[in-house]
Amino acid sequence: MLITRYLTTFGRYLMLMGRTFSMPERLRMFWKQYVKEMQQLGIDSIGIVLLISFFIGAVICIQMKENIESPWMPRWVAGYTTREIMLLEFSSSIMCLILSGKVGSNIASELGTMRVTQQIDALEIMGVNSASYLILPKILGMLTIMPILVIFSSAMGIMGAYATAYVGHIMPPDDLTAGLQHDFVPWFLWMSMIKSQFFAFIISSVSSYFGYSVEGGSVEVGKASTDAVVCSSVLILFSDVFLTLLLS
């Protein structure tokens, strides 16, 4: 049955996480792998995060100005709503959905390829805890770098809004600045980073499970990569609802 299959998958996922979160056998090797994963999964994603955030910030500002502002509203409303949308949803939830496609497929295909080429089996034969050696640095690397990506995304979205104000002449920059500064709640930034931590764990751990559990050949690696992205995206959307209710 479908429920039985989902419960079996969830049980295997928990068992894998139990093996993953164990003390690394060689801290020096773990540290090198940890830094490498931060570079590969996080720092290499900064470019796409900045590019998408810039244009999303610009589009949000234009839409807010054209469709929400009216003579009955303050002129800073567009800047205020742009800031709230970028902080509360885009820089954490939507950005992590985008990263689930880039980072999640990368993790699943890397581990899946290692599984089908028997590299993971070789580690097990040598007595190495392959789950901890391969997966733990990815999870900790994503958890470490994600708050930085959130801050960069929010800042670049605001820069995109200013680009529309200065270049597109959508609204006076002073009105945009007044809206960005109006009634700022610092907790919203912290809430965005807290949510991103949960999403980073979902992306890295779920993608690692699908890649680590591959059985078969190259076709199954591609399928595992697709399943990892889909499952991570769905779990991010579900958890976003509960985290928003919990943290608001």
Side-chain angles (χ1 to χ4, degrees), residues 150-233:
V150 168
I151 294 172
F152 281 6
S153 175
S154 300
M156 187 56 67
I158 292 173
M159 289 181 64
Y162 272 109
T164 62
Y166 279 103
V167 179
H169 304 291
I170 297 297
M171 62 186 298
D174 292 340
D175 292 346
L176 178 60
T177 302
L180 292 173
Q181 295 176 344
H182 177 75
D183 197 22
F184 175 67
V185 181
W187 168 246
F188 287 167
L189 180 59
W190 288 107
M191 187 170 76
S192 181
M193 287 193 283
I194 291 171
K195 288 166 63 176
S196 71
Q197 290 287 284
F198 284 90
F199 301 152
F201 178 79
I202 289 173
I203 294 170
S204 54
S205 63
V206 171
S207 302
S208 296
Y209 167 76
F210 280 101
Y212 191 88
S213 306
V214 166
E215 296 178 356
S218 57
V219 175
E220 282 71 20
V221 172
K223 185 177 182 300
S225 179
T226 303
D227 292 342
V229 173
V230 172
C231 188
S232 298
S233 301

Coordinates of all heavy atoms in Angstrom, one line a residue, residues 150-233:
V150 N 20.6 34.0 2.7 CA 19.3 34.7 3.0 C 19.6 36.2 3.1 O 18.9 37.0 2.5 CB 18.7 34.2 4.4 CG1 17.6 35.2 4.8 CG2 18.2 32.8 4.2
I151 N 20.7 36.6 3.8 CA 21.0 38.0 3.9 C 21.4 38.6 2.5 O 20.9 39.7 2.2 CB 22.2 38.2 4.9 CG1 21.8 37.8 6.3 CG2 22.7 39.6 4.9 CD1 22.9 37.8 7.3
F152 N 22.2 37.9 1.8 CA 22.5 38.3 0.4 C 21.3 38.5 -0.5 O 21.1 39.4 -1.2 CB 23.5 37.3 -0.3 CG 24.9 37.5 0.2 CD1 25.2 38.4 1.2 CD2 25.9 36.8 -0.4 CE1 26.5 38.5 1.7 CE2 27.2 36.9 0.0 CZ 27.5 37.8 1.1
S153 N 20.3 37.5 -0.3 CA 19.1 37.6 -1.1 C 18.3 38.8 -0.8 O 17.8 39.5 -1.7 CB 18.3 36.3 -0.9 OG 17.1 36.3 -1.6
S154 N 18.1 39.0 0.5 CA 17.3 40.2 0.9 C 17.9 41.5 0.4 O 17.2 42.4 -0.1 CB 17.2 40.2 2.4 OG 16.5 39.0 2.9
A155 N 19.3 41.6 0.6 CA 20.0 42.8 0.2 C 19.9 43.0 -1.3 O 19.6 44.2 -1.8 CB 21.4 42.8 0.7
M156 N 20.0 42.0 -2.1 CA 20.0 42.1 -3.5 C 18.6 42.4 -4.0 O 18.4 43.1 -5.0 CB 20.5 40.8 -4.2 CG 20.7 40.9 -5.7 SD 21.7 42.3 -6.2 CE 23.3 41.8 -5.6
G157 N 17.5 41.9 -3.3 CA 16.2 42.2 -3.7 C 15.9 43.7 -3.5 O 15.2 44.3 -4.3
I158 N 16.4 44.2 -2.4 CA 16.2 45.7 -2.2 C 17.0 46.5 -3.2 O 16.5 47.5 -3.7 CB 16.7 46.0 -0.7 CG1 15.7 45.4 0.3 CG2 16.8 47.5 -0.5 CD1 16.2 45.5 1.7
M159 N 18.2 46.0 -3.6 CA 18.9 46.7 -4.7 C 18.1 46.7 -6.0 O 18.1 47.6 -6.7 CB 20.3 46.1 -4.8 CG 21.2 46.3 -3.7 SD 22.9 45.6 -3.9 CE 23.4 46.5 -5.4
G160 N 17.5 45.5 -6.2 CA 16.6 45.5 -7.4 C 15.5 46.5 -7.4 O 15.1 47.1 -8.4
A161 N 14.9 46.6 -6.2 CA 13.8 47.6 -6.0 C 14.4 49.0 -6.3 O 13.7 49.9 -7.0 CB 13.2 47.5 -4.6
Y162 N 15.6 49.3 -5.8 CA 16.1 50.7 -6.0 C 16.5 50.8 -7.5 O 16.4 52.0 -8.0 CB 17.4 50.8 -5.2 CG 17.1 51.4 -3.8 CD1 17.3 50.6 -2.7 CD2 16.7 52.7 -3.7 CE1 17.0 51.2 -1.4 CE2 16.5 53.3 -2.4 CZ 16.6 52.5 -1.3 OH 16.3 53.0 -0.1
A163 N 16.8 49.8 -8.2 CA 17.1 49.9 -9.6 C 15.9 50.3 -10.4 O 16.0 51.1 -11.3 CB 17.6 48.5 -10.2
T164 N 14.7 49.8 -10.0 CA 13.5 50.2 -10.7 C 13.2 51.7 -10.4 O 12.6 52.4 -11.2 CB 12.3 49.3 -10.3 OG1 12.1 49.5 -8.8 CG2 12.6 47.9 -10.6
A165 N 13.5 52.1 -9.1 CA 13.3 53.5 -8.7 C 14.2 54.5 -9.5 O 13.7 55.5 -10.0 CB 13.4 53.6 -7.2
Y166 N 15.4 54.1 -9.6 CA 16.4 55.0 -10.3 C 16.4 54.9 -11.8 O 16.4 55.9 -12.5 CB 17.8 54.8 -9.7 CG 18.1 55.4 -8.4 CD1 18.1 54.6 -7.2 CD2 18.4 56.7 -8.3 CE1 18.4 55.2 -6.0 CE2 18.6 57.3 -7.0 CZ 18.6 56.5 -5.9 OH 18.9 57.1 -4.7
V167 N 16.4 53.7 -12.3 CA 16.5 53.5 -13.7 C 15.1 53.5 -14.4 O 14.9 54.2 -15.4 CB 17.2 52.2 -14.0 CG1 17.3 52.0 -15.5 CG2 18.6 52.2 -13.4
G168 N 14.1 52.8 -13.8 CA 12.8 52.7 -14.4 C 11.9 53.9 -14.1 O 10.8 54.0 -14.7
H169 N 12.3 54.7 -13.1 CA 11.5 55.9 -12.7 C 10.1 55.4 -12.3 O 9.1 56.1 -12.6 CB 11.4 56.9 -13.8 CG 12.8 57.4 -14.2 ND1 13.6 58.2 -13.4 CD2 13.5 57.2 -15.4 CE1 14.7 58.5 -14.0 NE2 14.7 57.9 -15.2
I170 N 10.0 54.3 -11.6 CA 8.7 53.7 -11.2 C 8.2 54.6 -10.0 O 7.0 54.9 -9.9 CB 8.8 52.3 -10.8 CG1 9.2 51.4 -12.0 CG2 7.5 51.7 -10.2 CD1 8.2 51.4 -13.1
M171 N 9.1 55.0 -9.1 CA 8.7 55.7 -8.0 C 9.9 56.5 -7.5 O 11.0 56.1 -7.8 CB 8.1 54.8 -6.8 CG 9.1 53.8 -6.3 SD 8.5 52.7 -5.1 CE 8.0 53.8 -3.8
P172 N 9.7 57.6 -6.8 CA 10.9 58.4 -6.2 C 11.6 57.5 -5.2 O 11.1 56.8 -4.4 CB 10.2 59.6 -5.5 CG 8.8 59.7 -6.2 CD 8.4 58.3 -6.5
P173 N 13.0 57.5 -5.3 CA 13.8 56.7 -4.4 C 13.5 57.1 -2.9 O 13.6 56.2 -2.1 CB 15.2 57.1 -4.8 CG 15.1 57.5 -6.2 CD 13.8 58.2 -6.4
D174 N 13.2 58.4 -2.6 CA 12.9 58.8 -1.3 C 11.7 58.0 -0.7 O 11.6 57.7 0.5 CB 12.7 60.3 -1.2 CG 14.0 61.0 -1.5 OD1 15.1 60.4 -1.3 OD2 13.9 62.2 -1.8
D175 N 10.7 57.9 -1.6 CA 9.5 57.1 -1.1 C 9.8 55.7 -0.9 O 9.3 55.1 0.1 CB 8.4 57.2 -2.2 CG 7.8 58.6 -2.3 OD1 8.1 59.5 -1.4 OD2 7.1 58.9 -3.3
L176 N 10.6 55.1 -1.7 CA 11.1 53.7 -1.5 C 11.8 53.6 -0.2 O 11.6 52.6 0.5 CB 11.9 53.2 -2.7 CG 12.4 51.8 -2.6 CD1 11.3 50.8 -2.5 CD2 13.3 51.5 -3.9
T177 N 12.7 54.5 0.0 CA 13.5 54.4 1.3 C 12.6 54.6 2.5 O 12.8 53.9 3.5 CB 14.6 55.6 1.3 OG1 15.4 55.4 0.1 CG2 15.4 55.5 2.5
A178 N 11.6 55.5 2.4 CA 10.7 55.6 3.5 C 9.9 54.4 3.8 O 9.7 54.0 4.9 CB 9.8 56.8 3.2
G179 N 9.5 53.7 2.7 CA 8.8 52.4 2.9 C 9.7 51.3 3.4 O 9.2 50.5 4.3
L180 N 10.9 51.2 3.0 CA 11.8 50.2 3.5 C 12.1 50.4 5.0 O 12.4 49.4 5.7 CB 13.1 50.2 2.7 CG 13.0 49.8 1.2 CD1 14.3 50.0 0.5 CD2 12.6 48.3 1.1
Q181 N 12.1 51.6 5.5 CA 12.4 51.9 6.8 C 11.2 51.9 7.8 O 11.4 51.9 9.0 CB 13.2 53.3 6.9 CG 14.5 53.3 6.3 CD 15.1 54.7 6.3 OE1 14.5 55.7 6.6 NE2 16.4 54.8 6.0
H182 N 10.0 52.0 7.2 CA 8.8 52.1 8.0 C 8.5 50.9 8.8 O 8.4 49.8 8.3 CB 7.6 52.4 7.1 CG 6.3 52.5 7.8 ND1 6.0 53.6 8.6 CD2 5.3 51.7 7.9 CE1 4.8 53.4 9.1 NE2 4.3 52.3 8.7
D183 N 8.4 51.1 10.1 CA 7.9 50.0 11.0 C 8.7 48.7 10.8 O 8.1 47.6 10.7 CB 6.4 49.8 10.8 CG 5.8 49.0 12.0 OD1 6.4 49.0 13.1 OD2 4.8 48.4 11.8
F184 N 10.0 48.8 10.8 CA 10.8 47.6 10.6 C 10.9 46.8 11.8 O 11.1 47.3 12.9 CB 12.3 48.0 10.2 CG 13.2 46.8 10.1 CD1 13.0 45.9 9.1 CD2 14.3 46.7 11.0 CE1 13.9 44.8 9.0 CE2 15.1 45.6 10.9 CZ 14.9 44.6 9.9
V185 N 10.6 45.5 11.7 CA 10.6 44.5 12.8 C 11.8 43.6 12.7 O 11.9 42.8 11.8 CB 9.3 43.7 12.8 CG1 9.3 42.7 14.0 CG2 8.1 44.6 12.9
P186 N 12.9 43.7 13.5 CA 14.1 42.9 13.3 C 13.8 41.4 13.4 O 14.5 40.6 12.8 CB 15.0 43.4 14.5 CG 14.5 44.8 14.8 CD 13.0 44.8 14.6
W187 N 12.7 41.0 14.1 CA 12.4 39.6 14.3 C 12.1 38.9 12.9 O 12.4 37.8 12.8 CB 11.2 39.4 15.2 CG 10.6 38.1 15.2 CD1 9.4 37.7 14.8 CD2 11.3 36.8 15.7 NE1 9.2 36.3 14.9 CE2 10.4 35.8 15.5 CE3 12.5 36.6 16.2 CZ2 10.7 34.5 15.8 CZ3 12.8 35.2 16.5 CH2 11.9 34.2 16.3
F188 N 11.6 39.7 12.0 CA 11.3 39.2 10.7 C 12.6 38.6 10.0 O 12.5 37.6 9.3 CB 10.6 40.2 9.8 CG 9.2 40.5 10.2 CD1 8.5 41.6 9.7 CD2 8.5 39.7 11.1 CE1 7.2 41.8 10.0 CE2 7.2 39.9 11.5 CZ 6.6 41.0 10.9
L189 N 13.7 39.3 10.2 CA 14.9 38.9 9.6 C 15.4 37.6 10.3 O 15.8 36.6 9.6 CB 16.0 39.9 9.7 CG 17.4 39.6 9.1 CD1 17.3 39.3 7.6 CD2 18.4 40.7 9.4
W190 N 15.3 37.5 11.6 CA 15.6 36.3 12.3 C 14.7 35.2 11.9 O 15.1 34.0 11.8 CB 15.6 36.6 13.8 CG 16.7 37.4 14.3 CD1 16.6 38.7 14.7 CD2 18.1 37.1 14.4 NE1 17.8 39.2 15.1 CE2 18.8 38.2 15.0 CE3 18.8 35.9 14.2 CZ2 20.1 38.2 15.2 CZ3 20.1 35.9 14.4 CH2 20.8 37.0 14.9
M191 N 13.4 35.5 11.8 CA 12.5 34.4 11.4 C 12.8 33.9 10.0 O 12.7 32.6 9.8 CB 11.0 35.0 11.4 CG 10.0 34.0 11.2 SD 8.3 34.6 11.4 CE 8.1 35.5 9.9
S192 N 13.2 34.7 9.1 CA 13.6 34.2 7.8 C 14.8 33.3 7.9 O 14.9 32.3 7.2 CB 14.0 35.5 6.9 OG 14.3 35.0 5.6
M193 N 15.8 33.6 8.7 CA 17.0 32.8 8.8 C 16.7 31.5 9.6 O 17.2 30.4 9.2 CB 18.1 33.6 9.6 CG 18.7 34.7 8.7 SD 20.3 35.3 9.4 CE 19.6 36.4 10.6
I194 N 15.8 31.5 10.6 CA 15.4 30.3 11.3 C 14.7 29.4 10.3 O 15.0 28.2 10.2 CB 14.5 30.6 12.5 CG1 15.3 31.4 13.5 CG2 13.9 29.4 13.0 CD1 14.5 31.9 14.7
K195 N 13.8 29.9 9.5 CA 13.1 29.0 8.5 C 14.1 28.5 7.5 O 14.0 27.3 7.1 CB 12.0 29.9 7.8 CG 10.8 30.2 8.7 CD 9.9 31.3 8.0 CE 9.3 30.9 6.7 NZ 8.4 31.9 6.2
S196 N 15.0 29.3 7.1 CA 16.0 28.8 6.1 C 16.8 27.6 6.6 O 17.3 26.8 5.9 CB 16.9 29.9 5.6 OG 17.8 30.3 6.6
Q197 N 17.1 27.6 8.0 CA 17.8 26.5 8.6 C 17.1 25.2 8.4 O 17.6 24.2 8.1 CB 18.1 26.8 10.0 CG 19.1 27.9 10.3 CD 20.5 27.5 10.0 OE1 21.2 26.8 10.7 NE2 21.0 28.0 8.8
F198 N 15.8 25.2 8.7 CA 14.9 24.0 8.5 C 14.9 23.6 7.1 O 15.1 22.4 6.8 CB 13.5 24.3 9.0 CG 13.4 24.3 10.5 CD1 13.5 25.5 11.2 CD2 13.0 23.1 11.2 CE1 13.4 25.5 12.6 CE2 12.9 23.1 12.5 CZ 13.0 24.3 13.3
F199 N 14.8 24.6 6.2 CA 14.8 24.2 4.7 C 16.1 23.7 4.3 O 16.2 22.8 3.4 CB 14.4 25.4 3.9 CG 13.0 26.0 4.3 CD1 12.8 27.4 4.1 CD2 12.0 25.2 4.8 CE1 11.5 27.9 4.4 CE2 10.8 25.8 5.2 CZ 10.6 27.1 5.0
A200 N 17.2 24.2 4.8 CA 18.5 23.7 4.4 C 18.7 22.3 4.8 O 19.3 21.5 4.1 CB 19.6 24.6 5.0
F201 N 18.2 22.0 6.0 CA 18.3 20.6 6.5 C 17.5 19.7 5.6 O 17.9 18.5 5.3 CB 17.8 20.5 8.0 CG 17.9 19.1 8.5 CD1 19.1 18.5 8.9 CD2 16.7 18.3 8.6 CE1 19.1 17.2 9.4 CE2 16.7 17.0 9.1 CZ 17.9 16.5 9.5
I202 N 16.3 20.1 5.3 CA 15.4 19.3 4.4 C 16.1 19.0 3.1 O 16.2 17.9 2.6 CB 14.1 20.0 4.2 CG1 13.2 20.0 5.5 CG2 13.3 19.3 3.1 CD1 12.0 20.8 5.4
I203 N 16.6 20.1 2.4 CA 17.3 19.9 1.1 C 18.4 18.9 1.2 O 18.5 18.0 0.4 CB 17.7 21.3 0.6 CG1 16.5 22.2 0.3 CG2 18.6 21.1 -0.7 CD1 16.9 23.6 0.0
S204 N 19.3 19.1 2.2 CA 20.5 18.3 2.2 C 20.3 16.9 2.7 O 20.8 16.0 2.1 CB 21.6 19.0 3.1 OG 21.0 19.2 4.4
S205 N 19.4 16.7 3.7 CA 19.2 15.4 4.2 C 18.3 14.5 3.3 O 18.6 13.4 3.0 CB 18.6 15.4 5.6 OG 17.3 16.0 5.5
V206 N 17.3 15.1 2.8 CA 16.4 14.3 1.9 C 17.1 14.0 0.6 O 17.0 12.8 0.1 CB 15.1 15.1 1.6 CG1 14.3 14.5 0.5 CG2 14.3 15.3 2.9
S207 N 17.8 14.9 0.0 CA 18.6 14.7 -1.2 C 19.6 13.6 -1.0 O 19.9 12.7 -1.9 CB 19.2 15.9 -1.8 OG 18.2 16.9 -2.0
S208 N 20.3 13.7 0.2 CA 21.3 12.7 0.5 C 20.7 11.3 0.6 O 21.3 10.3 0.2 CB 22.0 13.0 1.8 OG 22.7 14.3 1.7
Y209 N 19.5 11.2 1.2 CA 18.8 9.9 1.3 C 18.5 9.3 0.0 O 18.8 8.1 -0.3 CB 17.5 10.1 2.1 CG 16.7 8.8 2.1 CD1 17.0 7.7 2.8 CD2 15.6 8.8 1.2 CE1 16.2 6.5 2.7 CE2 14.8 7.7 1.1 CZ 15.1 6.5 1.8 OH 14.3 5.4 1.7
F210 N 18.0 10.1 -0.9 CA 17.6 9.5 -2.2 C 18.8 9.1 -3.0 O 18.8 8.1 -3.7 CB 16.8 10.6 -3.0 CG 15.3 10.6 -2.7 CD1 14.8 11.6 -1.8 CD2 14.5 9.6 -3.1 CE1 13.5 11.6 -1.5 CE2 13.1 9.7 -2.8 CZ 12.6 10.7 -1.9
G211 N 19.9 9.9 -2.9 CA 21.1 9.5 -3.6 C 21.8 8.3 -3.0 O 22.3 7.4 -3.7
Y212 N 21.9 8.3 -1.7 CA 22.5 7.2 -1.0 C 21.8 5.9 -1.1 O 22.4 4.8 -1.1 CB 22.6 7.6 0.5 CG 23.5 6.7 1.4 CD1 24.9 7.0 1.5 CD2 23.0 5.6 2.0 CE1 25.7 6.2 2.3 CE2 23.8 4.8 2.8 CZ 25.1 5.1 2.9 OH 25.9 4.3 3.7
S213 N 20.5 5.9 -1.3 CA 19.7 4.7 -1.4 C 19.4 4.2 -2.8 O 18.6 3.3 -3.0 CB 18.3 5.0 -0.7 OG 18.5 5.4 0.6
V214 N 20.1 4.7 -3.8 CA 19.9 4.3 -5.2 C 20.3 2.8 -5.3 O 21.3 2.4 -4.8 CB 20.8 5.2 -6.1 CG1 20.9 4.6 -7.5 CG2 20.2 6.6 -6.2
E215 N 19.4 2.2 -6.1 CA 19.7 0.8 -6.4 C 19.5 0.6 -7.9 O 18.5 1.0 -8.5 CB 18.7 -0.2 -5.7 CG 18.9 -0.2 -4.2 CD 17.9 -1.1 -3.5 OE1 17.1 -1.7 -4.2 OE2 18.0 -1.3 -2.3
G216 N 20.6 0.2 -8.6 CA 20.4 0.0 -10.1 C 21.6 0.7 -10.8 O 22.8 0.6 -10.3
G217 N 21.3 1.4 -11.9 CA 22.3 2.0 -12.7 C 22.1 3.5 -12.9 O 21.5 4.2 -12.0
S218 N 22.5 4.0 -14.0 CA 22.5 5.4 -14.3 C 21.1 5.9 -14.4 O 20.8 7.1 -14.1 CB 23.3 5.8 -15.5 OG 22.8 5.0 -16.6
V219 N 20.2 5.1 -14.9 CA 18.8 5.5 -15.0 C 18.2 5.8 -13.6 O 17.5 6.8 -13.4 CB 17.9 4.5 -15.8 CG1 16.4 4.8 -15.8 CG2 18.4 4.3 -17.2
E220 N 18.5 5.0 -12.7 CA 18.0 5.1 -11.3 C 18.6 6.4 -10.7 O 18.0 7.0 -9.8 CB 18.3 3.9 -10.5 CG 17.3 2.7 -10.7 CD 17.5 2.1 -12.1 OE1 18.6 2.3 -12.6 OE2 16.6 1.4 -12.5
V221 N 19.8 6.7 -11.0 CA 20.5 7.9 -10.5 C 19.7 9.2 -10.9 O 19.4 10.1 -10.1 CB 21.9 8.0 -11.0 CG1 22.5 9.4 -10.5 CG2 22.7 6.9 -10.4
G222 N 19.3 9.2 -12.2 CA 18.5 10.3 -12.7 C 17.1 10.4 -12.0 O 16.6 11.5 -11.7
K223 N 16.5 9.2 -11.8 CA 15.2 9.2 -11.1 C 15.3 9.6 -9.7 O 14.5 10.4 -9.2 CB 14.6 7.8 -11.2 CG 13.2 7.6 -10.6 CD 12.7 6.2 -10.8 CE 11.3 6.1 -10.2 NZ 11.2 6.5 -8.8
A224 N 16.4 9.2 -9.0 CA 16.6 9.6 -7.6 C 16.8 11.1 -7.5 O 16.4 11.8 -6.6 CB 17.8 8.9 -7.1
S225 N 17.5 11.7 -8.5 CA 17.7 13.1 -8.5 C 16.4 13.9 -8.7 O 16.2 14.9 -8.0 CB 18.7 13.5 -9.7 OG 18.9 14.9 -9.7
T226 N 15.6 13.4 -9.6 CA 14.2 14.0 -9.7 C 13.4 13.9 -8.5 O 12.7 14.8 -8.0 CB 13.5 13.4 -10.9 OG1 14.3 13.5 -12.1 CG2 12.2 14.1 -11.2
D227 N 13.4 12.7 -7.9 CA 12.6 12.4 -6.7 C 13.1 13.3 -5.5 O 12.3 13.8 -4.7 CB 12.7 11.0 -6.3 CG 12.0 10.0 -7.3 OD1 11.1 10.5 -8.0 OD2 12.2 8.8 -7.2
A228 N 14.4 13.5 -5.4 CA 14.9 14.3 -4.4 C 14.4 15.8 -4.5 O 14.1 16.4 -3.5 CB 16.5 14.3 -4.4
V229 N 14.4 16.3 -5.7 CA 14.0 17.7 -5.9 C 12.5 17.8 -5.6 O 12.1 18.8 -4.9 CB 14.3 18.2 -7.3 CG1 13.7 19.5 -7.6 CG2 15.8 18.2 -7.6
V230 N 11.7 16.9 -6.1 CA 10.3 17.0 -5.9 C 9.9 16.8 -4.4 O 9.1 17.6 -3.8 CB 9.5 15.9 -6.7 CG1 8.1 15.8 -6.3 CG2 9.7 16.1 -8.2
C231 N 10.5 15.8 -3.7 CA 10.2 15.6 -2.3 C 10.7 16.8 -1.4 O 10.0 17.2 -0.5 CB 10.9 14.3 -1.9 SG 10.4 13.8 -0.2
S232 N 11.9 17.3 -1.7 CA 12.4 18.4 -1.0 C 11.5 19.6 -1.1 O 11.1 20.3 -0.1 CB 13.8 18.8 -1.4 OG 14.7 17.7 -1.2
S233 N 11.0 19.9 -2.3 CA 10.1 21.1 -2.6 C 8.8 20.9 -1.8 O 8.3 21.9 -1.2 CB 9.9 21.2 -4.1 OG 11.1 21.4 -4.8

